[in-house]
Amino acid sequence: MALFSRRPKSSSEQDAGTPDAASTAESEETQETQESASASAEETPQVGISVSSFGGLGAAPTPASASAAAAPQAEADGIPGLTDNILLRDAIAALPEEANGTQVVGVARQLLQGQLFLRVRGDARSLAAEGKELPLAVASIEDTPFVLVFSGGSALQAAVRADGQLDSSAMSQDAGIVLRSVLAGPYGGIILDHASRQSPIVIPRQLIERALEESDDEFTVKTLLAGERTSETPALVAAALPHVPLWLAANRAREEDEWGLAESRNASGERFLEVFSHPLEVLAMGRGDQPMPIRIDQLASGFEGDDGLTGIVVDPAGPWIQLSRADLASAFAAAEE
């Protein structure tokens, strides 16, 4: 008997691109916080366009890398030396002005990889060298400060044009560093690319806390999937699976029904179990699924009991990757040790 219970066909073959506004408590909380934000939130610090790259807030700064400085700019009004977080930038650009909670969760999941960008009043490099606190650009929502975070150069330049104040600098940091720094301060959360939209995208503190609690510190799988694909990528993703949290997408049509798990099929009819690197990845599918944690040994047992499974598809909302049984062999062997 198979360990995994398959979802009814009508549910598993839903269009993943159609969001469901009534998803989960996290989605509703995000939507409520977003709706409470005023589009005219007052920005306190000023803006500039010099670029610094830091290992962490309060750490000694280093010049932007030569490769970053030489990277071609995707936008004509970008900032030299700053490479956009393309996944986050594109997710924000795809949002309608009146985004629902599930759509905002789809943006929030793209915070878990790559670099995020901040504005600092004054020269960030000089301030850090002097050991001074870096005054981040913030906006106030109901007297609570929210950190202004940017997906890249175009969004930063939009903020510069919006206020015309240049006495500040742009700072790039790993996403994990930025999010943990926000939680370490008196902030209610973050606002993304605020000058690029009429309606602000607000990611509340509670959602950031949950996102970090349910992820590994390095965002390992998300980072691998967001990076350049090579012939080694499937092996690297498979090797990471025993060491990171994993989830499946569970659902049922009625309370009396058994829970079924989401699968995908390719054009040849091969079955792939959907596996997720984070609960936000499940919620972003917009199908009303519940994230169900699973260990690698449980995943291995499920495959032993279901010969019809060809493999898994990791983070099917994208960027995604398919791993065959052969790809998973080393991960399943590690589960037995």
Side-chain angles (χ1 to χ4, degrees):
M1 180 177 179
L3 177 66
F4 297 149
S5 176
R6 296 169 60 187
R7 180 178 300 176
K9 184 176 180 180
S10 59
S11 176
S12 65
E13 294 183 358
Q14 284 188 38
D15 180 4
T18 304
D20 180 359
S23 178
T24 64
E26 287 94 337
S27 300
E28 293 168 357
E29 179 181 30
T30 305
Q31 185 174 16
E32 291 170 0
T33 306
Q34 180 194 15
E35 290 172 349
S36 70
S38 167
S40 60
E42 181 181 358
E43 181 185 343
T44 38
Q46 299 154 359
V47 161
I49 53 175
S50 62
V51 178
S52 297
S53 180
F54 290 78
L57 289 173
T62 56
S65 67
S67 59
Q73 299 301 306
E75 304 289 342
D77 59 352
I79 298 175
L82 188 156
T83 302
D84 288 1
N85 185 325
I86 296 173
L87 290 174
L88 179 60
R89 181 198 68 190
D90 291 353
I92 293 171
L95 278 184
E97 280 298 334
E98 298 299 327
N100 63 39
T102 302
Q103 291 168 326
V104 173
V105 166
V107 171
R109 72 189 181 92
Q110 302 296 13
L111 291 169
L112 305 182
Q113 49 80 30
Q115 297 270 305
L116 300 176
F117 306 95
L118 304 167
R119 293 167 61 185
V120 177
R121 180 167 44 190
D123 189 318
R125 186 165 302 164
S126 298
L127 290 169
E130 295 170 7
K132 295 182 179 179
E133 184 177 352
L134 301 178
L136 301 179
V138 300
S140 293
I141 300 176
E142 297 180 354
D143 297 325
T144 300
F146 284 69
V147 178
L148 300 178
V149 175
F150 302 88
S151 63
S154 179
L156 272 163
Q157 288 287 20
V160 171
R161 290 192 297 268
D163 58 36
Q165 298 173 332
L166 303 177
D167 184 22
S168 66
S169 49
M171 182 174 70
S172 66
Q173 293 187 306
D174 288 339
I177 293 174
V178 171
L179 297 179
R180 292 183 183 92
S181 297
V182 169
L183 296 183
Y187 306 112
I190 65 176
I191 302 176
L192 295 170
D193 290 1
H194 72 286
S196 303
R197 296 172 49 84
Q198 294 180 355
S199 301
I201 304 169
V202 179
I203 308 297
R205 184 183 187 92
Q206 295 85 347
L207 182 56
I208 297 173
E209 289 173 341
R210 289 288 302 274
L212 294 181
E213 287 171 0
E214 295 172 322
S215 177
D216 64 300
D217 290 343
E218 303 301 323
F219 306 149
T220 307
V221 171
K222 186 73 172 176
T223 299
L224 286 170
L225 296 183
E228 181 181 358
R229 298 296 176 95
T230 71
S231 60
E232 300 299 317
T233 301
L236 291 172
V237 174
L241 297 183
H243 309 292
V244 299
L246 299 172
W247 281 264
L248 304 179
N251 210 335
R252 56 183 178 178
R254 298 168 299 182
E255 288 189 5
E256 60 269 26
D257 292 341
E258 292 185 3
W259 288 91
L261 300 177
E263 296 179 357
S264 296
R265 297 194 181 196
N266 62 16
S268 302
E270 295 174 318
R271 292 170 49 215
F272 291 82
L273 184 68
E274 294 183 1
V275 176
F276 300 82
S277 64
H278 196 279
L280 289 180
E281 295 290 333
V282 178
L283 304 182
M285 299 292 287
R287 302 179 302 204
D289 296 340
Q290 296 298 311
M292 186 183 81
I294 188 169
R295 302 188 310 270
I296 191 66
D297 60 311
Q298 294 172 316
L299 190 63
S301 296
F303 268 75
E304 288 178 1
D306 192 341
D307 292 337
L309 279 173
T310 301
I312 66 175
V313 55
V314 182
D315 288 354
W320 54 268
I321 192 170
Q322 284 184 346
L323 300 178
S324 67
R325 282 179 175 265
D327 294 325
L328 294 168
S330 59
F332 289 166
E336 300 175 358
E337 297 177 355

